[in-house]
Amino acid sequence: MLKTALRNLLAHKARQLMTLLAVCLGTAFVSGTLVFADSTAAASRDAMSKNYADIAVTVTAKEPPPGATPHRQTSALDDALARKLAAVSGVAAVRPSADGVVTMNAADNTPLRVKQGANLADAYLPGTDGKDSRYPLAEGRAPRNSGELAVDGTTAAAGGFRLGDKVTLAIDGPVMTKRLVGIVTTKDTRVTAAGTLALFDKATAQKLFASPGHYSSIDLSAAPGTAPSELAQRVTDVLPTDRAEATTGAALADQQAILVNTRTRGYTKLPLVFAGISLFIGSFLIINTFTMLVTRRTREIALLRAIGATRRQVSRSVLLEALLVGLVASGAGFLLGLGIASVLPDILSTDGNTLPQGPLVIGPRSVVAALGVGVGVTVLAAWLPSRKAAKVAPIEAMRTTEQPPSAKRSRIRGVAGLALLVLGAGVLVSLSGAKDASETNLQNAMVGCAVLVAALIVLAPILASPVIRLTGRLTGRFGITGHLAQQNALRDPRRTAATAATLMISTGLIAGLAVIGNSTAQALDSQAAAGLGADYVISTGTPTTAIESAAVHRVGETSGVRAATAVSDTTATIGGSVQSISGVDPDTVNDTMKLDFVSGSAKDLGPGRIAVSRTLAQKNGVTTGSELNVGNVGTDPEQQFKKYTVVGVYQDNPIARDALGVRSDVAKNAFKPGSVQRILVRTDGGAVPTTVEKQLRTAVSNSPLITVQDREQLVTQAAGTLGDLLNVMYGMLAIGVVISALGIVNTLAMSVAERTREIGALRALGMDRSGIRRMVRLEAVTVAAFGTLLGLAGGLFGAWAVGSLANAAMPQYSLTLPWGTLLLVCLLSLAIGVPAAAVPARRAAALSPLEAVAEA
């Protein structure tokens, strides 16, 4: 039987090629995703983690007690302590640091930010040889005074810097300008993994990131034979225990590993989902292929049974054939997966989220998964055909046609399919009124969609006949070839349904995602622009960073600016929950915000008076004239809780946020009292947008901490990530479409082989070769149309049910059909049939009338 399996595999190489490709693609995604996950996690770990490989102990300052002066926590970490630590037994080297975070502008005065890695800054601390071994100089010299700066080579290239250039930078306050005097190299993985590095002289770094004469941390390396835990205890004995503490490098590395694993956990989920979809779709191709092979070899199997082969031997022969196919496909898929893993970081990276990149990490689980998944799916998919083969009786050798399924089996299929359809649709319909986008409801929606897909797959053979007869009205316009194509598709509804199922799943997912994506994008566009009457928004992005008051004045005086509203943003406890509150000027707020008041007015804002969003008002049961307890985080305990009068209720507004107050009242309780976080700017519309943006950046001193965005950029920022994500999804689902095309090729190729006598007879009756090719192509289009219609129906219904849950998170959400995208999906799905039928149609047309005599 082993020889039989090998001979069958070699005898049907062309037919098995489609199965090999399907398994190869699915396996490639699984193995590639796992390699990508391991590689990205390692690269992200490098980007976020300080390298503790050669650090035994790190000494840092303890958190100061309440009421302590701001720099008390660093007062112990000075040169005297560094010398004291160097004298501790077992300490091999002492490396102080005065490090922090600094953001720079590129040479063109645009912010030089990173999404991974870090914007690191440190002190250049030369040793006795005048060099800092951590940062070897590549060009120039080390910074010597407060007006000089050094950067690493990658930062210099990214920013377009040359020695002697003026570099604009900021920490969390005013903009500074320093001259670039040196370019260094570094092995710090936080920098090499797409980060930046700025180096200052010792005194400047201590002043910026610690306090004059002090450090932010001191790293110690251990002498050979000294355990880090033992060294940490010795160091602790000489430290002022109330002001500094020692931690082993291993403990710090473990803490960072937990953080990194948490942040990188989601990298594998999306690709693995689509790998599973690819394998699921591919399993239909495998089942269909082996079923048709078994059907084609019915007489052969019956003869084997007649000469003594047992059912178990026949079944094992089919499974062994599947095992060999799985092994070959898994090996090829793993190699292809390495290519996928290398390009996924570029594909999944967006303008707002750049994934770190590094060398590929090939672990044992990737290899095992490739073999296990590829072989396992192939063998499992071939199990049903193997059972069918085992049931072939010796008498089947006398039959020339396949027996149709019994009426009883058809009834059972119909009842099971209807039950699943009612269950899946019932779950989705019940969720459509939930208006709660909780994780539980989303999971239930996914389960409902899965049950709905299962129902369509079970019912597909029953639905094939009426649907194909309906679409046959179109193919019938092509005359006898169209009529024959329809009849060929109806000849074996189970085979047609299995072939169309792959396209149904792909089309349904793409159509559903397109509807949800379009509806969500429309809602995000509306949400981002709603309430904004300004043309530009100048913002810091974080409540800890402020826009200086002088900059607010300069923005208002900029040419072409009609109105500028300063906004102070902070958080407050309103009605028992933490909410965001914005401080504005009541006289100018209507010039730059579109406030739709249900009751009251912004003009009534003042000290002790606030306006709240409609959602916040309903949550706390208040109306205009009511009072609300507002707890501000201030330094005076007596000022933490006050009763505020509600002077207005406005429709939910992302620009105004949860509550509005007068700026003089809100700003005193901000992170930095009196600070401004946003400036809403309205222009007269006469100047060129790029010119206005440049003037506004100049007005805020070109601070790298401040962004200037117009309305279009705000909308793009809100919806851009979603659009990029949908494009990735469409690209991955295209794999399913490719597998669907392979399935159609396989089905038609075997169908042509089965109809050799019929095609020869048609040729003998006068049908030319072009008519034969047209008949096969129309059959492919008929199968594709069947799968497309089922996919569209299921995808649109699922999108309606799942999308309704989004309304709870986004009130602006409403189902909006992307007619252009849906039309394109339909055309592409139908068009798959034409290239898929190319080879089978050519083969069919090549048959001569004599073939009929040879087969008779």
Side-chain angles (χ1 to χ4, degrees), residues 36 78 117 135 179 294 396 412 485 504 581 648 801 822-823:
F36 159 74
D78 54 14
Y135 308 115
R179 188 167 66 92
V294 168
E396 298 287 339
I412 293 174
M504 176 193 73
I581 183 169
L822 293 178
L823 178 60

Side-chain angles (χ1 to χ4, degrees), residues 645-714:
T645 301
V646 178
V647 297
V649 177
Y650 54 87
Q651 296 286 0
D652 288 16
N653 189 318
I655 303 300
R657 302 185 180 177
D658 299 319
L660 281 175
V662 66
R663 191 162 68 87
S664 59
D665 205 15
V666 173
K668 65 183 179 184
N669 295 298
F671 185 85
K672 292 185 175 181
S675 63
V676 171
Q677 280 68 46
R678 287 184 292 163
I679 307 175
L680 308 182
V681 180
R682 188 172 181 180
T683 65
D684 55 20
V688 179
T690 53
T691 303
V692 174
E693 184 175 344
K694 185 176 181 180
Q695 290 175 335
L696 293 176
R697 284 209 58 80
T698 302
V700 293
S701 304
N702 287 313
S703 173
L705 301 175
I706 298 175
T707 60
V708 179
Q709 296 173 296
D710 59 21
R711 294 170 63 89
E712 183 178 349
Q713 290 169 330
L714 286 171

